Structures are given as C-alpha cells and as structure tokens.
Amino acid sequence: MIVKVLIIVACGSLAFAQYAAPRAYVSEPKYAPIPYSFQYNVNDPQTYDVHSQSESSDGNGNVKGSYSLLEADGSTRVVEYTADDHSGFNAVVKKIEGGYKAPYSGPAPVYKPIYA
C-alpha cells in the first residue's frame, strides 16, 4: 500500500515539476526570405462555385495578388491587393456586372409560422 502511495506521489511530483521549473528561452531560427508564386482556378458548373486566386512575393516582404469570385447575383468580385512592411495591406475591390448566372429554379419558398 505504501509503495502505491509513493508511486502516486512521485508521478504527481514529476507532473508538477514540468510546470514549476523555469525553462530557458530558445529563440526561433531566422530563415532567409524565399520568393514564391502560386495560382489556382475553380470552375464547378454543378455547384456554381467559380473563383480564382494568384499571389507572388519577391521574398523581401512585398506581396502582390488578386482573387475573384462569382457572386450570387451573377456579378464577379475582383480584389487586387498589395502588402509590404511599409504601407501594410492595401486592397482595391471591383465589381464586374453581368456575366455568369445560375439557372432560375422557381420562386422562393414561403414559410408560414406554426403557431399563429
């Protein structure tokens, strides 16, 4: 019985010790900036999911990109953005009217309250 109590106390002490003992600070390693570029497009006629994005960076904190998506009203929203350490994040939003519309599926359902 005493052995079980000692084992439980020892386990509890070890568990508490990991939070009570101060730890040395280890800084994150510094990596050289790496330029990158990516782009993708989605056009799913079954779900009417139409969107795209492209972005690139010179590796020095300067980022340029854009994305677009098909809105429910058939217009396309286009966002062009830049980001850097000096001026932060800046975006220009454009709306292109017309374009692709989902087929008409009939009138919207009318819901009546259960309790009147």
Side-chain angles (χ1 to χ4, degrees), residues 18 22 27 30 48 61 66 76 79 100 106 112 114:
Q18 70 178 345
S27 63
K30 300 289 183 184
Y48 308 106
S66 68
T76 301
V79 179
Y100 185 78
K112 296 180 181 178
I114 296 174

Side-chain angles (χ1 to χ4, degrees), residues 17-19 21-25:
Q18 70 178 345
Y19 298 109
R23 294 179 185 238
Y25 175 74

Side-chain angles (χ1 to χ4, degrees), residues 9-95:
V9 170
C11 289
S13 299
L14 288 174
F16 178 73
Q18 70 178 345
Y19 298 109
R23 294 179 185 238
Y25 175 74
V26 178
S27 63
E28 291 284 327
K30 300 289 183 184
Y31 298 105
I34 300 174
Y36 68 87
S37 179
F38 73 87
Q39 178 178 352
Y40 70 87
N41 296 304
V42 174
N43 188 348
D44 186 354
Q46 189 172 10
T47 63
Y48 308 106
D49 183 14
V50 180
H51 64 272
S52 64
Q53 182 177 4
S54 64
E55 184 175 290
S56 62
S57 171
D58 63 1
N60 294 319
N62 301 313
V63 177
K64 284 185 176 183
S66 68
Y67 65 89
S68 68
L69 61 108
L70 178 67
E71 298 281 5
D73 65 356
S75 65
T76 301
R77 181 188 322 165
V78 178
V79 179
E80 297 173 344
Y81 59 90
T82 59
D84 59 36
D85 295 334
H86 178 66
S87 60
F89 181 83
N90 297 295
V92 176
V93 181
K94 300 175 185 176
K95 183 174 184 176

